[in-house]
Amino acid sequence: MASSSFPDVWAWIQNLPPITQWSTNSMSTCIYCSSSSQPSLKFSITKNPQSSFLSFSILADFSIAISLWISKPLKLNSTRTKFIDEETISNLFINFIEDVLNYCPNKNTSLLRIPKIDSLSNFGDIFNLSFLTLTFLICIYEAPADLRSECLNTFKNQLACVRSRETTKPLVRLLGSSLEEQWMRSINLAITNWIVELQATNHTLKTPSPLFSYAISRVGLWKVQLYCPVIAMDIEKLTNPSPDERLWFSLNYHQLEGVIQLNYKVMVREKWVDVIVNVDNIRCDVIRLATEKLMAERGAGTAEKHFPSRISLQLTPTLQTNVLSVSVSKSSENPTREIGLEKTIEGSFDPPNSVGLKVSAGETVTMSLKPWKFEQSVYGDSANLNWFLHDSTNGKEVFSSEPSKMALLQPKAWFRNRYSSAYRPFTRQGGVIFANDEYGENVCWKVDKGSSVGRVMEWEIKGWIWLTYWPNKYKTSYSETRRLEFREILPLTLA
């Protein structure tokens, strides 16, 4: 069996003897050992005998080793007793980060600023994870066919394990939000390419973390950040015939990026504790994973992509023995109705020599439906928050319906030119933002005071996001809806 835990490359580097004690010009360690007679993968360090530079590489260990990746030359400080100093290891770490970001279609590494590594806790885990991520991407794009299947599934499991997912949180915080987005786009572009390759050979695949999410709880804010390649989302509804090759490319080379931000407040009363939570910001965007040029050449253009059609959140205290009640501020937000009354009277006299007056009257009543409807409800001690997108022409929920054939022929239907119309229900980039100025109603849990004050309660945030595709500018009758589910646990001290 292949190893289920990724080798500790950080510890291996730290424990290498001084370079003056090497008997050869290179040292290597196995990072993937095949369960069969197939070749293995090695991580290798090579010194240049003519200079004071080192290079690091990932090698496929055939009879003649094949280099899949090589680092930038790194200067060796020969005056140190340890094999490698902090500056060199920091430069190697930055090399890992930059080479992962190089796979992003809109990379910008000028924002990369890494603090001194001795100030970072658990830096060894962060270093190992950055190398594991780079190795995974290198294998997708560079590994020979003999190695691909087994080693990719091994690295998939290692990336999806609890330790890797926990280590990703400090890694992306270290990168900052802008580079975090590029990091996840690099990974999910690689995953998309891998899934496309397997689908072409009729393989089934459980993707490596098809959804990545993490949560933080601090200064009165709960925040959940999530990323998922669209191709990895579950299909809930689709129409026949299947999309043609160009439309298929456009639809699949995107990823969902979402942010859930909730404000919380703890208020200690005389005999109970109120835990009040309200919406700060809900943001969902569908971001392309291919360049605009590639979308035009191979796809149906950048205007053909999914859009958010429903968002559902469920907030639940995990320990409910101390919960006395839960209250929501509204059960349903009624749609906006605009009623305009227009009356007209037309009159005319008949020609001379005749008597009479002709009068006609008309009345017009108009009504408009707000595209997004917000609802709150309670199930047990869980509070449910739901946003539904509705078709403004017939009022139907979009995520569970499909456009009518007649509507597809109407050039002014709301889902045509939906990212440029003045009445669009999305941002110009195709996403949605729900802010507390409109959706800020709160949920309140009343908790027993005696058994709760000073203790930490955990809240589960569970969510579902639906993405729907209806034709925008492309001539097609195809439509579909996909869905993802996420779950995070957030702590809250009742004090």
Side-chain angles (χ1 to χ4, degrees):
M1 291 288 290
S3 173
S4 59
S5 60
F6 194 72
D8 191 347
V9 174
W10 165 258
W12 177 74
I13 293 175
Q14 294 296 305
N15 293 326
L16 283 173
I19 203 163
T20 55
Q21 299 178 18
W22 289 18
S23 57
T24 63
N25 288 330
S26 66
M27 301 283 277
S28 63
T29 183
C30 183
I31 57 176
Y32 167 73
C33 295
S34 174
S35 59
S36 62
S37 59
Q38 301 300 327
S40 59
L41 279 183
K42 289 186 175 181
F43 180 53
S44 177
I45 306 176
T46 303
K47 65 177 180 178
N48 189 326
Q50 282 77 44
S51 68
S52 57
F53 284 90
L54 293 172
S55 63
F56 296 77
S57 56
I58 298 172
L59 304 173
D61 191 25
F62 290 86
S63 54
I64 299 178
I66 299 175
S67 177
L68 306 182
W69 173 85
I70 189 166
S71 71
K72 297 175 181 177
L74 300 175
K75 188 170 180 60
L76 177 67
N77 189 339
S78 58
T79 63
R80 299 294 182 94
T81 55
K82 289 182 65 176
F83 159 64
I84 193 167
D85 62 11
E86 180 182 320
E87 182 181 359
T88 306
I89 202 74
S90 179
N91 288 335
L92 178 60
F93 175 62
I94 291 173
N95 199 163
F96 293 162
I97 298 295
E98 288 178 336
D99 282 6
V100 169
L101 295 177
N102 280 338
Y103 288 102
C104 181
N106 59 339
K107 61 181 179 293
N108 179 8
T109 56
S110 64
L111 301 172
L112 183 58
R113 299 288 185 274
I114 301 297
K116 288 187 175 297
I117 62 176
D118 59 4
S119 67
L120 302 174
S121 60
N122 300 323
F123 177 73
D125 287 340
I126 295 173
F127 181 90
N128 285 335
L129 179 64
S130 65
F131 179 66
L132 169 59
T133 305
L134 174 63
T135 305
F136 176 67
L137 268 61
I138 292 296
C139 285
I140 287 178
Y141 291 111
E142 306 293 343
D146 318 50
L147 272 171
R148 287 177 60 76
S149 180
E150 270 196 38
C151 74
L152 282 177
N153 278 292
T154 298
F155 295 149
K156 170 196 74 173
N157 295 332
Q158 292 163 355
L159 277 172
C161 75
V162 173
R163 183 174 181 179
S164 291
R165 294 175 70 85
E166 285 301 311
T167 305
T168 302
K169 298 177 184 179
L171 171 60
V172 295
R173 286 200 291 271
L174 181 65
L175 295 176
S177 58
S178 295
L179 289 182
E180 172 188 327
E181 291 177 353
Q182 294 182 43
W183 180 268
M184 295 309 303
R185 290 170 193 176
S186 296
I187 295 172
N188 285 333
L189 173 58
I191 291 173
T192 298
N193 284 325
W194 185 25
I195 296 174
V196 167
E197 176 188 324
L198 291 174
Q199 287 180 346
T201 55
N202 296 316
H203 282 75
T204 58
L205 168 72
K206 185 171 178 58
T207 61
S209 181
L211 164 73
F212 169 71
S213 64
Y214 69 89
I216 59 174
S217 174
R218 61 183 64 169
V219 293
L221 178 72
W222 284 340
K223 179 181 177 181
V224 178
Q225 187 91 34
L226 54 93
Y227 303 88
C228 185
V230 169
I231 196 172
M233 294 174 65
D234 295 331
I235 297 178
E236 284 218 333
K237 184 181 179 61
L238 55 81
T239 59
N240 289 317
S242 299
D244 61 41
E245 187 176 340
R246 297 180 70 88
L247 180 59
W248 184 92
F249 183 90
S250 284
L251 294 183
N252 284 305
Y253 277 85
H254 283 87
Q255 85 167 5
L256 170 66
E257 299 180 4
V259 179
I260 313 295
Q261 291 178 185
L262 305 172
N263 294 319
Y264 67 83
K265 182 164 56 176
V266 177
M267 301 184 69
V268 181
R269 310 292 189 183
E270 183 179 351
K271 296 182 179 180
W272 71 87
V273 177
D274 282 335
V275 178
I276 303 169
V277 178
N278 69 284
V279 172
D280 174 73
N281 240 221
I282 310 291
R283 304 192 298 271
C284 286
D285 287 292
V286 182
I287 304 298
R288 71 172 184 267
L289 295 175
T291 63
E292 189 172 349
K293 180 180 179 183
L294 195 58
M295 281 292 188
E297 291 176 351
R298 294 188 55 190
T302 57
E304 302 308 312
K305 62 179 184 176
H306 294 78
F307 53 83
S309 56
R310 181 185 175 186
I311 300 171
S312 181
L313 301 178
Q314 185 179 82
L315 313 180
T316 309
T318 57
L319 182 62
Q320 300 178 7
T321 54
N322 299 329
V323 177
L324 304 175
S325 67
V326 57
S327 303
V328 294
S329 56
K330 63 171 61 176
S331 62
S332 176
E333 182 179 59
N334 293 322
T336 299
R337 290 181 173 84
E338 298 175 356
I339 299 178
L341 186 62
E342 181 182 346
K343 293 184 178 180
T344 60
I345 297 178
E346 296 180 358
S348 64
F349 290 100
D350 283 332
N353 303 322
S354 66
V355 178
L357 176 67
K358 294 182 178 179
V359 178
S360 63
E363 182 177 295
T364 303
V365 178
T366 62
M367 180 180 293
S368 67
L369 179 71
K370 194 173 183 179
W372 283 97
K373 183 176 181 181
F374 175 59
E375 291 182 353
Q376 289 182 330
S377 62
V378 174
Y379 181 77
D381 286 327
S382 296
N384 301 306
L385 287 69
N386 286 279
W387 289 262
F388 301 89
L389 177 64
H390 288 75
D391 186 336
S392 58
T393 57
N394 56 26
K396 291 183 178 180
E397 293 176 348
V398 171
F399 83 98
S400 60
S401 61
E402 60 186 68
S404 68
K405 302 300 181 184
M406 290 300 295
L408 288 172
L409 300 175
Q410 297 175 9
K412 294 186 178 180
W414 75 265
F415 52 87
R416 293 283 187 184
N417 300 308
R418 55 179 170 261
Y419 307 127
S420 56
S421 167
Y423 304 101
R424 61 183 182 265
F426 316 104
T427 65
R428 191 171 182 83
Q429 288 71 38
V432 291
I433 299 174
F434 303 123
N436 62 6
D437 57 347
E438 189 173 4
Y439 300 100
E441 294 80 6
N442 61 55
V443 179
C444 180
W445 285 268
K446 199 179 295 289
V447 182
D448 180 66
K449 182 178 179 179
S451 57
S452 303
V453 169
R455 299 186 179 182
V456 176
M457 282 188 72
E458 290 185 336
W459 253 258
E460 177 191 71
I461 298 184
K462 198 172 183 180
W464 299 262
I465 298 176
W466 285 258
L467 297 183
T468 296
Y469 171 73
W470 285 3
N472 186 22
K473 295 182 178 180
Y474 199 63
K475 292 184 178 179
T476 179
S477 59
Y478 181 75
S479 63
E480 71 171 31
T481 294
R482 293 175 177 259
R483 179 183 64 87
L484 68 80
E485 178 179 335
F486 65 90
R487 177 182 177 272
E488 292 290 338
I489 301 293
L490 287 163
L492 178 62
T493 301
L494 300 188

